[in-house]
Amino acid sequence: QVQLVESGGGLVQPGGSLRLSCAASGSIFRFNTMAWYHQAPGKQRELVATVAHGGTTSYVDSVKGRFTISRDNAKNTVYLQMNNLKPEDTAVYYCNIFPPSRTRDYWGQGTQVTVSS
């Protein structure tokens, strides 16, 4: 039943970089805008970035200029290149369609990103 699988997280120092990947089933990926979300302990899950089918991107202000979202439609994969990471970026990162489905729960287990010295 796994349809969205995130990977690439880890422990990095401030200023470091990580590249997250999200493998999606074709039925979810095609025709949908994809997005990365993150959730820190005690906080709501937040939208981070979106990428439309044709490649148009959008970012929240806190990551603009540091993160780059992209997609490979042939591979049904979404990426999040994270540069100049800050401790405030520490969270579990999830991918999903945007907006999330109101009738189906596609959320995966996410991948942990920890930024600490």
Side-chain angles (χ1 to χ4, degrees), residues 31 75 87 94 109 117:
F31 309 123
K75 297 181 178 179
Y94 303 87
Q109 75 280 8
S117 60

Side-chain angles (χ1 to χ4, degrees), residues 14-37:
S17 297
L18 284 173
R19 184 176 185 250
L20 307 184
S21 297
C22 171
S25 68
S27 61
I28 295 175
F29 195 90
R30 61 185 179 184
F31 309 123
N32 283 318
T33 294
M34 301 298 296
W36 285 96
Y37 306 79

Side-chain angles (χ1 to χ4, degrees), residues 39-51:
Q39 184 171 25
K43 294 188 176 181
Q44 296 284 329
R45 183 160 49 206
E46 298 179 328
L47 180 67
V48 176
T50 67
V51 57

Side-chain angles (χ1 to χ4, degrees), residues 70-101:
S70 61
R71 65 193 291 162
D72 186 333
N73 291 335
K75 297 181 178 179
N76 294 336
T77 302
V78 187
Y79 305 97
L80 186 67
Q81 178 66 48
M82 305 186 294
N83 297 326
N84 191 24
L85 282 160
K86 303 176 179 180
E88 308 92 89
D89 299 319
T90 296
V92 178
Y93 284 73
Y94 303 87
C95 68
N96 206 336
I97 60 174
F98 178 82
S101 174

